[in-house]
């Protein structure tokens, strides 16, 4: 991949939405929730006041309506500020 986020932004590949519930009920496409976790694939350099704490390969949790969806080479990604990330898992 040839994308480098600027400043304190990160590029995340969202995890797949759940296909089944814990009890085995299959979830139809219309009822699937937007995933709130993913894997970081690119990280910006940070700013002079803020050093980046996440790195490429980290699995993270982020807000449901955080970031912007982008499609690169047929794959959907989320680009967002590091402050929109809630936790590293």
């Amino acid at each position: 991949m040839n994308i480098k986020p600027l400043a304190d932004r990160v590029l995340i590949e969202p995890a797949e939405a759940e296909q089944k519930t814990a009890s085995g009920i299959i979830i139809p496409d219309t009822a699937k929730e937007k995933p709130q976790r993913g894997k970081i694939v690119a990280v910006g350099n940070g700013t002079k006041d803020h050093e980046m704490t996440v790195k490429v390969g980290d699995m993270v949790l982020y807000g449901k309506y955080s970031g912007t969806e982008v499609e690169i080479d047929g794959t959907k990604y989320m680009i967002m500020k590091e402050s929109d990330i809630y936790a590293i898992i």
Side-chain angles (χ1 to χ4, degrees), residues 12 18 20-21 25 30 47-48 52 55 73 76 80:
I12 298 174
E18 295 293 324
K20 283 197 238 181
T21 64
I25 298 171
T30 55
T47 62
K48 68 177 186 173
M52 300 299 278
K55 60 187 181 303
D73 297 331
K76 291 185 180 183
M80 64 184 69

Side-chain angles (χ1 to χ4, degrees), residues 13-89:
E13 183 175 3
E16 290 292 321
E18 295 293 324
Q19 303 292 330
K20 283 197 238 181
T21 64
S23 61
I25 298 171
I26 296 175
I27 302 171
D29 289 340
T30 55
K32 290 181 185 170
E33 289 196 21
K34 186 175 172 183
Q36 294 176 280
R37 62 186 171 140
K39 181 178 177 182
I40 296 182
V41 294
V43 177
N45 292 328
T47 62
K48 68 177 186 173
D49 299 328
H50 179 79
E51 187 176 320
M52 300 299 278
T53 55
V54 295
K55 60 187 181 303
V56 173
D58 284 348
M59 287 295 292
V60 294
L61 295 175
Y62 52 87
K64 192 173 210 170
Y65 302 106
S66 299
T68 303
E69 285 186 12
V70 294
E71 189 169 331
I72 303 162
D73 297 331
T75 305
K76 291 185 180 183
Y77 296 99
M78 297 288 294
I79 191 162
M80 64 184 69
K81 289 191 170 212
E82 185 185 36
S83 60
D84 291 336
I85 296 173
Y86 296 147
I88 299 171
I89 52 175

